[in-house]
């Protein structure tokens, strides 16, 4: 999401940042007595206790948080601004859709192919 929205910082290391900033979670500042909803949903270890083994789960809450969460919606808004900036003269939405597809999927979109036979 950070790469598609243009927010990914390729520099590794440096000072950690708060969870509200668009940064890779490996570079996120973790405060021991404060929980973060996004990190919590993906089984981030509790910083107050040593953890030898991390739990692994896949739940509907994770998917819903990625679809409806504030962090994800902020990345989507930033992606929309980036597309507007890179395709300002697009007279129809096709150019913007193709750009959005390239940024998010890394390739050109394919035309939709219907499984239904053509109408007579």
């Amino acid at each position: 999401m950070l790469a598609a929205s243009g927010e990914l910082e390729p520099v590794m290391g440096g000072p950690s940042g708060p969870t509200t900033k668009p940064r890779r979670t490996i570079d996120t500042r973790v405060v021991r007595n404060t929980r973060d909803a996004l990190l919590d949903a993906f089984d981030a270890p509790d910083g107050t206790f040593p953890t030898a083994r991390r739990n692994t789960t896949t739940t509907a809450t994770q998917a819903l948080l990625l679809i409806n969460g504030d962090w994800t919606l902020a990345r989507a808004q930033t992606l929309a601004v980036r597309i507007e900036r890179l395709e300002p003269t697009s007279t129809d939405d096709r150019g913007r859709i193709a750009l959005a597809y390239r940024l998010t999927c890394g390739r050109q979109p394919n035309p939709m192919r219907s499984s239904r036979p053509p109408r007579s």
Side-chain angles (χ1 to χ4, degrees):
M1 285 186 236
L2 291 173
S5 68
E7 298 173 290
L8 181 64
E9 293 181 29
V11 178
M12 293 178 63
S16 61
T19 57
T20 56
K21 297 290 182 191
R23 200 132 184 226
R24 298 174 312 156
T25 54
I26 196 165
D27 296 325
T28 300
R29 181 180 305 127
V30 176
V31 180
R32 286 184 182 249
N33 60 353
T34 305
R35 305 289 292 178
D36 178 73
L38 183 64
L39 297 177
D40 244 358
F42 289 95
D43 301 321
D46 184 352
T48 58
F49 301 104
T51 306
R53 186 174 210 170
R54 182 176 166 187
N55 293 334
T56 303
T57 59
T58 304
T59 66
T61 307
Q62 293 169 340
L64 291 171
L65 185 64
L66 283 177
I67 293 170
N68 300 316
D70 292 337
W71 191 89
T72 304
L73 293 176
R75 302 297 68 76
Q77 289 171 342
T78 306
L79 174 62
V81 169
R82 183 180 186 195
I83 291 168
E84 287 284 331
R85 188 182 74 243
L86 295 174
E87 282 284 336
T89 59
S90 213
T91 55
D92 65 1
D93 289 331
R94 290 178 189 205
R96 289 184 179 144
I97 290 169
L99 176 61
Y101 207 91
R102 278 195 317 270
L103 291 173
T104 57
C105 299
R107 64 180 176 85
Q108 292 287 5
N110 294 330
M112 287 185 56
R113 296 184 182 138
S114 176
S115 58
R116 291 184 280 173
R119 293 183 188 176
S120 305

